[in-house]
Amino acid sequence: MTKKKREESYVLPDANDLATLFREAHRPLKIDALMRMLGLHRRMKKELEDRLDDLVRQGRIIRLRGGAWGLVEQLRLVTGTLSIQRSGMGFVLPEEKGRDDIYVHPYQMGDAWHGDKVVVALLPGRHGKNPEGRIVRVVERGRKEIPARVVRRMGRHSLLCRAADPRMAVSFVVDMSAVEEKAEKGDLVVAAPGDKVEDGLWAATGLAVLGADDNVLVQERLVKINHDVPTDFPPEVLEEARDLPAVPSRDDMEGRIDLRHLEFVTIDGAKARDFDDAVYVEEQGTGYRLWVAIADVAHYVRPGSAMDREAQARSNSYYFPQSVEPMLPEALSNGLCSLNPRVPRLAMVAETFFYADGTPGRSKFYAAIIESKARLTYGQVNRAIIEKDEKERRLLTPVLPLLERAEALARLLNAKRSERGSLDFDLPEPEVIFNIYGETVDIGRKVRHFGHQIIEEFMIAANEAVARFLTEKNARFLYRVHPEPDTEKLEGLFKVLARTSLAQHLPGKPSAKALQGVLQAAKGSDQEFVVNRMALRTMMQARYAPDHEGHFGLASECYCHFTSPIRRYADLIVHRALRRTLGLPVNGPLPGERALLTIADTLNVNERVAMEAEREILKRITVLFLSERVGEEFTGVISGIIDFGFFVEFNEVMAEGMVRLSSLDDDYYGYLPERQELVGERTGRSFRLGQAVTVRLAEVNVARLEVNLVLAGPDAVASTGAKKPRPAGRDRASRDWNAGRAGSGGRGGRGARGGRGPGRGEEPRAGRESGDDAGRGTRDDAGRGTRDAIGRGDRAAATVPSAAAHADRTSRKAKARSTTDAGWDDPMPTELPEPFENAPRKGRGGKAGAKPATRKGAAPKPAASKPSAKKTSAPKKAGEEKAATPGKSPKAKEGKTGNATPGKGKVPTKEKSSGQTAKFDTIAKSDTTAKPGKAAAADKSGAAKAAPKKTGDAKPAKPGKAGKATENDGNA
């Protein structure tokens, strides 16, 4: 009896008490020391170890090599989630709020994968603004199932596979014995990872075969697995949905205001299936009265029910090009709660009066029953109201007066919102177009018009009205907050804009309030693209919070989400708070202050997941679509610049790719972040945001989701792979002499640099969402994708540069940077140094009297007399020899280009355009040949109007007509 009582007196502490014990001990503790300190019986050792393992899984303590446990926080260790970028570098996002993200070099990741919960040890020093660390423990794998691409078969039931997510550099030997369907090379499978086989290789068990990776539905399934997007609803949720009625019952309608006589309409996209808002507008005196009816989801989804728990876990619906994963079962989202036309539906109504200038008056809120009279699309409204299409107007005759009143009110609200400083980023969004077989036939730009704006203005007005009402009543709910822009990013934006014609619209001190004026000033100008993109990158991420902080983007002092409870859980929280405030039944407890904060954190995380999943599927579809168009040329604008290249957004297709610096061998380019510009050190050639360029699609890597481009057309350089026409006058001796220059200790001339090809530095786009803090294309610290300091052709012969050479390079670099100081709006860059092809050099033409260079020890070849009936005419510089008379052999003169071997035809020099605008590109393309007897003259912009023809195609030039040279000739 005494022994039994003694055993019952031993109490095992909970996790928090154990953590406190470790903190008070000020040292790591072994199991025996813990047993003594806690006064536990030896029979409880196993239970204590289990409790310690729980703390390890939580990332609060870590097991040391000597067998002791230590507090993570005391060991300079941090627990968090590893996020790896496509470049290979990673960041650990700490669980502890307020801590900076910790940079992790690829070599410091150990066996951790993207999405894993890890423990990272802090290292001395920092990587930029972030502390640097080394991963010491994988606490928990982020993914239990991993999509992988089949590389090859290994035996009867095993496959060698590579993770389909480019952020996971890991391979698997997958046992497919339990899967009936066979997978071929290139197919996608789902595998459950097991034990490690060797570095970079793991055993895995096959779970399913997804199919061929060129199928859009397969790609959608892959993205859903990558981001843990929930698909099937649990059985208990479906059972609750089945118990609900198909239509509202009499009991449901009791106590509600009957608005079925009003002509409510829904206006949505053509493919929409869930209609959670309907609107109606009436003129009253000199003002308008607006009714916004929102589906009363809170009436059916009780707090704490299985359906409510699942909706909170999902947080929002997930939309994909060919499928959707709804937050609520379809019985509600597409049925009972959807405001379908000509059926009674329960709704929560926000009714607001607006004065003639758009100022809101008194609002009231109540539960109602409505009946939508028509299901309209944005396109129908635009054609009938904005474009005044007679056919569409006849079709919409019953609701046409309502739509005209709605347009008038929406314009008032839009003007009022712009007046208070609301931001409007005019950025295109992609729209994937499929054929009847589900194949992608085009990726265009979504057309936006005022038909969209009508509903947007009404939803913003209703959200603000509800937020003001609940704030006045001191209700507990979730606000939608958007902080002011990051100060450093805003200063950088204004510093760049100060170099443009928009400088006169900038205030003396950068401020967030001045941003709206800058956007308005840029509207319709050449800088609109640049300003919109750069301003968007200064924005912070909008989020849900229980605190009232305001919404900067909308210039709204009080804002929440009320209008989409079918697809957003935050709206359902607001509906419940509104019902409680109005004295309507909620059918369950509302979350307290701490619980509301936890819910907000969950919603913010899952909203980000939905955005990333949407971007990834669009990226995958784009890459698949472009994989069939390799070799084609596209026009576009530079949409992003990083230190190893720039992104180009196509005009023909809503897609983008990357031009890497390793593909540019006409110069060494320096990145100027304060200008968002790449500038050539020697030529001064620059690449800026919004600059028009022509590119060729060089390579598409579906596995890595990379689209690599090279410059083409008038923007092309030697690295594009296009063969230059072989000069007619260059024989083997002159080629040998030319090749010998590469070992002279210089840079080796054009083409000497060895490009590494596509690097691992390309990052996915930051996205168009307001406040995406992840910068576009973070630098690849592993060195991939960056230019080599010395070309491969020069490595053997390169020498240490002298002090004079270093000073010369420094002066050229300073001069190149100064060429852009005139600003973006100059129609012509500042005069640049002589281009590489035309620069006086040993053997390439110099001072008068210089002899053509020959190989060391080789005698110059005598001039050969050949008929020159098919010689080409090319522009010449002032002072060069006159073109030879047809039929006569030209004699080699002293001081001429060494490439022109005596007795051969003149080498046509390929001229490049130094102008960077589409205007000059057009000029360069238009007049491609010079008339016989005249050399083509380049205009003052440096854009050549005459492009060289292939050798032998040009008509003989008349004697005495020398080509007119320009100051910036050849600066591409």
Side-chain angles (χ1 to χ4, degrees):
M1 187 71 178
T2 306
K3 183 177 180 183
K4 185 176 181 181
K5 285 184 178 180
R6 216 160 91 196
E7 288 184 2
E8 288 177 351
S9 66
Y10 298 130
V11 179
L12 189 67
D14 61 15
N16 291 328
D17 291 338
L18 276 176
T20 302
L21 182 64
F22 274 99
R23 200 172 288 110
E24 292 174 350
H26 298 291
R27 63 185 177 87
L29 298 172
K30 292 190 175 182
I31 189 70
D32 294 335
L34 281 169
M35 296 284 291
R36 288 193 302 270
M37 294 172 70
L38 294 170
L40 297 179
H41 193 274
R42 61 179 179 275
R43 293 180 180 176
M44 302 187 71
K45 184 175 182 179
K46 180 66 172 63
E47 296 179 54
L48 179 61
E49 287 179 338
D50 292 341
R51 189 63 55 86
L52 291 172
D53 289 341
D54 289 339
L55 283 173
V56 170
R57 282 190 291 271
Q58 295 173 23
R60 300 174 68 178
I61 65 173
I62 190 170
R63 184 78 178 267
L64 305 178
R65 291 183 179 177
W69 281 270
L71 268 180
V72 166
E73 62 192 51
Q74 296 293 334
L75 294 169
R76 282 184 57 82
L77 302 176
V78 178
T79 303
T81 302
L82 176 62
S83 176
I84 299 179
Q85 300 177 352
R86 203 168 288 132
S87 62
M89 67 201 280
F91 290 88
V92 172
L93 283 55
E95 291 182 343
E96 182 183 345
K97 290 185 178 180
R99 266 189 177 273
D100 292 333
D101 295 345
I102 301 165
Y103 168 76
V104 181
H105 192 276
Y107 296 124
Q108 303 283 14
M109 290 181 185
D111 293 331
W113 304 337
H114 173 75
D116 288 352
K117 184 176 181 179
V118 298
V119 175
V120 59
L122 297 178
L123 300 176
R126 299 178 73 86
H127 177 79
K129 296 181 180 179
N130 300 91
E132 190 167 354
R134 173 176 59 88
I135 292 175
V136 296
R137 182 73 52 84
V138 175
V139 177
E140 184 181 4
R141 288 293 182 197
R143 300 181 187 176
K144 305 298 186 291
E145 299 177 359
I146 296 178
R149 181 175 283 101
V150 177
V151 177
R152 67 172 183 268
R153 185 169 291 279
M154 298 181 66
R156 185 176 179 183
H157 297 296
S158 296
L159 299 172
L160 178 61
C161 301
R162 181 85 172 170
D165 190 337
R167 295 170 296 183
M168 298 180 67
V170 61
S171 298
F172 302 96
V173 178
V174 183
D175 179 8
M176 299 292 291
S177 57
V179 181
E180 294 184 3
E181 191 176 354
K182 299 298 181 184
E184 304 296 333
K185 180 179 179 180
D187 284 356
L188 294 170
V189 300
V190 182
D195 297 330
K196 181 177 179 180
V197 178
E198 59 181 42
D199 286 344
L201 183 65
W202 298 72
T205 302
L207 302 177
V209 176
L210 294 178
D213 66 352
D214 59 352
N215 187 309
V216 174
L217 288 176
V218 170
Q219 292 290 338
E220 288 188 359
R221 291 177 62 190
L222 183 152
V223 172
K224 291 172 187 178
I225 296 172
N226 277 348
H227 295 274
D228 290 325
V229 174
T231 52
D232 299 330
F233 285 95
E236 59 271 20
V237 174
L238 297 177
E239 186 176 349
E240 283 187 6
R242 280 193 297 267
D243 291 340
L244 294 173
V247 293
S249 64
R250 284 185 176 273
D251 293 338
D252 293 331
M253 297 181 186
E254 195 167 342
R256 293 176 176 267
I257 297 177
D258 193 343
L259 299 180
R260 283 179 284 183
H261 63 283
L262 296 182
E263 295 177 349
F264 280 96
V265 296
T266 62
I267 306 176
D268 295 272
K271 297 180 181 178
R273 295 294 179 267
D274 51 347
F275 313 120
D276 45 19
D277 58 82
V279 297
Y280 177 68
V281 179
E282 275 187 3
E283 286 186 79
Q284 291 188 357
T286 59
Y288 294 88
R289 186 168 294 277
L290 169 66
W291 284 262
V292 175
I294 307 298
D296 194 356
V297 178
H299 178 82
Y300 298 107
V301 181
R302 294 177 293 103
S305 64
M307 198 181 301
D308 179 61
R309 292 194 301 271
E310 181 66 15
Q312 181 179 332
R314 294 183 176 224
S315 301
N316 41 246
S317 296
Y318 298 82
Y319 293 92
F320 297 88
Q322 290 193 347
S323 65
V324 60
E325 298 301 336
M327 185 182 77
L328 298 172
E330 288 190 13
L332 278 81
S333 61
N334 291 6
L336 186 58
C337 291
S338 182
L339 305 182
N340 298 325
R342 294 175 295 281
V343 292
R345 288 290 184 259
L346 306 185
M348 292 297 295
V349 175
E351 180 185 335
T352 307
F353 178 78
F354 292 92
Y355 294 100
D357 63 347
T359 303
R362 185 170 175 267
S363 298
K364 54 183 178 180
F365 311 92
Y366 48 86
I369 179 168
I370 72 160
E371 184 177 299
S372 171
K373 299 299 185 290
R375 181 269 199 261
L376 306 178
T377 66
Y378 297 121
Q380 284 179 300
V381 174
N382 183 63
R383 289 190 295 272
I385 303 302
I386 312 302
E387 298 178 358
K388 308 296 184 183
D389 182 271
E390 287 301 326
K391 181 179 178 182
E392 201 70 62
R393 290 175 72 85
R394 284 195 299 272
L395 290 173
L396 302 184
T397 298
V399 294
L400 200 58
L402 162 65
L403 295 178
E404 289 176 340
R405 296 193 299 269
E407 182 209 1
L409 176 58
R411 292 194 183 278
L412 288 176
L413 298 180
N414 182 258
K416 196 70 177 177
R417 192 162 55 85
S418 298
E419 183 182 319
R420 74 191 187 193
S422 179
L423 303 180
D424 184 17
F425 293 103
D426 186 15
L427 295 173
E429 294 182 14
E431 182 178 23
V432 183
I433 302 171
F434 300 99
N435 60 18
I436 59 174
Y437 306 106
E439 300 167 337
T440 307
V441 295
D442 196 10
I443 303 176
R445 286 168 171 78
K446 283 184 180 178
V447 179
R448 281 190 55 82
H449 44 67
F450 203 76
H452 297 88
Q453 203 70 36
I454 291 174
I455 290 298
E456 287 183 13
E457 295 298 339
F458 292 169
M459 297 305 107
I460 291 173
N463 288 335
E464 289 180 325
V466 171
R468 287 194 299 265
F469 175 73
L470 292 178
T471 302
E472 291 170 1
K473 299 298 183 181
N474 295 318
R476 187 182 294 120
F477 68 105
L478 288 178
Y479 292 91
R480 181 67 168 177
V481 300
H482 184 214
E484 289 195 356
D486 179 86
T487 305
E488 291 186 10
K489 291 181 180 179
L490 198 62
E491 290 176 353
L493 168 65
F494 278 64
K495 195 175 293 185
V496 171
L497 296 182
R499 297 169 42 79
T500 73
S501 61
L502 298 175
Q504 57 184 329
H505 301 283
L506 302 179
K509 185 178 180 181
S511 68
K513 292 182 179 179
L515 197 56
Q516 200 245 11
V518 174
L519 292 173
Q520 287 293 330
K523 203 164 188 178
S525 70
D526 294 339
Q527 283 80 40
E528 183 176 13
F529 180 92
V530 178
V531 173
N532 277 315
R533 293 302 172 98
M534 295 191 67
L536 186 64
R537 292 173 197 168
T538 67
M539 296 293 106
M540 302 293 284
Q541 180 69 38
R543 68 182 192 277
Y544 296 107
D547 302 319
H548 181 200
E549 299 177 18
H551 196 291
F552 172 78
L554 295 174
S556 178
E557 295 180 358
C558 195
Y559 195 70
C560 72
H561 276 169
F562 161 75
T563 56
S564 298
I566 290 179
R567 60 185 179 90
R568 289 192 304 233
Y569 193 78
D571 300 54
L572 184 54
I573 293 285
V574 172
H575 273 243
R576 288 171 178 164
L578 181 60
R579 290 178 68 89
R580 174 63 59 85
T581 305
L582 295 173
L584 300 174
V586 181
N587 302 321
L590 295 183
E593 188 173 347
R594 292 188 64 182
L596 198 60
L597 185 60
T598 302
I599 291 173
D601 291 341
T602 301
L603 300 187
N604 292 330
V605 169
N606 289 338
E607 181 187 30
R608 188 71 179 174
V609 169
M611 290 167 52
E612 290 176 352
E614 181 183 350
R615 290 173 187 166
E616 182 176 335
I617 188 59
L618 285 173
K619 180 75 172 178
R620 289 182 175 277
I621 292 176
T622 301
V623 169
L624 288 174
F625 178 68
L626 293 178
S627 64
E628 300 177 355
R629 305 186 66 173
V630 174
E632 294 186 25
E633 289 190 6
F634 298 88
T635 59
V637 293
I638 297 177
S639 58
I641 296 180
I642 43 181
D643 56 351
F644 55 86
F646 54 87
F647 295 89
V648 176
E649 186 176 295
F650 301 158
N651 294 327
E652 297 84 354
V653 180
M654 187 61 190
E656 70 173 8
M658 188 182 197
V659 177
R660 299 177 181 274
L661 289 187
S662 57
S663 70
L664 306 178
D665 61 4
D666 64 330
D667 205 343
Y668 292 100
Y669 287 85
Y671 175 51
L672 307 179
E674 69 279 2
R675 299 180 182 179
Q676 282 293 294
E677 186 176 11
L678 291 167
V679 180
E681 296 178 1
R682 179 183 57 82
T683 62
R685 186 185 191 189
S686 65
F687 297 99
R688 309 181 180 98
L689 279 178
Q691 180 176 318
V693 291
T694 302
V695 294
R696 178 167 55 83
L697 184 54
E699 179 195 20
V700 174
N701 190 321
V702 177
R704 288 191 50 79
L705 301 180
E706 288 181 352
V707 177
N708 291 312
L709 311 171
V710 292
L711 294 175
D715 300 305
V717 291
S719 62
T720 58
K723 292 184 178 180
K724 292 186 176 182
R726 179 178 293 177
R730 183 177 293 183
D731 59 10
R732 184 170 184 84
S734 64
R735 288 199 303 272
D736 291 345
W737 167 82
N738 209 24
R741 295 180 317 176
S744 61
R747 292 186 179 176
R750 295 175 68 90
R753 281 175 59 208
R756 293 203 197 184
R760 296 184 60 188
E762 183 179 357
E763 282 299 306
R765 260 186 88 176
R768 311 180 199 283
E769 287 293 334
S770 174
D772 187 354
D773 291 325
R776 179 192 299 273
T778 312
R779 176 186 309 170
D780 181 36
D781 290 282
R784 304 219 178 182
T786 56
R787 63 172 184 252
D788 292 336
I790 301 177
R792 289 183 182 175
D794 295 341
R795 292 182 193 271
T799 59
V800 177
S802 63
H806 177 73
D808 178 62
R809 178 173 177 174
T810 303
S811 64
R812 283 190 290 106
K813 186 172 181 179
K815 189 172 183 179
R817 288 181 179 236
S818 68
T819 60
T820 59
D821 285 341
W824 289 359
D825 301 302
D826 286 2
M828 173 69 192
T830 312
E831 180 179 351
L832 304 180
E834 190 77 346
F836 190 82
E837 298 87 38
N838 303 328
R841 188 187 321 168
K842 182 179 180 181
R844 288 288 300 270
K847 296 180 181 179
K851 296 182 180 180
T854 59
R855 293 178 58 195
K856 189 174 182 180
K861 295 180 71 174
S865 177
K866 289 186 180 181
S868 56
K870 288 194 175 185
K871 272 186 242 162
T872 60
S873 63
K876 303 179 182 62
K877 295 189 177 292
E880 287 187 356
E881 63 178 346
K882 297 181 180 179
T885 306
K888 295 184 180 181
S889 301
K891 296 181 181 180
K893 292 188 177 183
E894 295 180 348
K896 298 300 171 289
T897 304
N899 290 347
T901 308
K904 300 292 181 182
K906 190 76 175 177
V907 180
T909 303
K910 183 176 181 180
E911 299 199 359
K912 298 184 178 64
S913 169
S914 64
Q916 299 300 327
T917 63
K919 172 182 174 183
F920 298 115
D921 291 347
T922 305
I923 295 174
K925 291 179 180 178
S926 60
D927 190 14
T928 55
T929 57
K931 293 182 180 179
K934 290 186 179 181
D939 63 14
K940 64 180 181 179
S941 69
K945 292 185 179 178
K949 286 191 174 184
K950 295 180 181 178
T951 304
D953 289 345
K955 295 181 181 180
K958 292 182 181 180
K961 298 288 183 179
K964 183 180 178 182
T966 62
E967 294 176 346
N968 298 321
D969 199 22
N971 289 315

